[in-house]
Amino acid sequence: QVQLVESGGGLVQPGGSLRLSCAASGSIFSIDAMGWYRQALGKERELVAGITSGGSTNYADSVKGRFTISRDNAKNTVYLQMNSLKPEDTAVYYCNADLRSSWYRRGVYWGQGTQVTVSS
């Protein structure tokens, strides 16, 4: 069984910073990619940032230049450094992993979500 455990969410003032962490554990053969999604109230879930096992990254236009995704492959952990936070960044942030739990099983797994609130 695979689990993704997130941490680092909370309340921060506009212009502040937060760092989210997500560690994957359990039966993991390999991880192809990990990423962060977010869902604000009344809106659809959207991709914030993603990173492959080789280190390639992609970001939503709304967070480019402010957020940085990184990955520690040895620890099966992905991070999201969020700087210059805006009220529009307020959402529940979800960790995502595209991985193989065995040589023949590949699937997508999600964390439980962590609330990020940007408010003065």
Side-chain angles (χ1 to χ4, degrees):
Q1 295 182 347
V2 176
Q3 291 184 329
L4 304 181
V5 180
E6 300 154 296
S7 62
L11 174 65
V12 65
Q13 293 185 332
S17 298
L18 285 174
R19 190 192 191 203
L20 305 183
S21 300
C22 174
S25 63
S27 181
I28 300 173
F29 182 76
S30 64
I31 299 178
D32 290 333
M34 299 186 76
W36 292 94
Y37 288 71
R38 68 185 181 187
Q39 186 168 19
L41 284 174
K43 297 183 179 180
E44 294 184 349
R45 188 173 300 186
E46 64 173 348
L47 174 67
V48 178
I51 186 168
T52 69
S53 60
S56 298
T57 60
N58 65 290
Y59 298 90
D61 288 341
S62 60
V63 307
K64 287 181 179 178
R66 300 188 297 119
F67 292 9
T68 302
I69 189 170
S70 60
R71 179 179 178 179
D72 186 333
N73 290 338
K75 297 181 179 180
N76 292 330
T77 299
V78 65
Y79 307 92
L80 185 67
Q81 179 66 47
M82 304 185 292
N83 299 326
S84 301
L85 283 162
K86 304 175 181 179
E88 301 89 270
D89 296 319
T90 296
V92 177
Y93 284 70
Y94 297 90
C95 179
N96 168 276
D98 181 3
L99 58 81
R100 294 181 174 89
S101 56
S102 70
W103 69 270
Y104 63 91
R105 289 183 178 178
R106 182 177 181 176
V108 177
Y109 296 83
W110 294 89
Q112 78 285 356
T114 184
Q115 177 70 46
V116 172
T117 302
V118 184
S119 176
S120 60

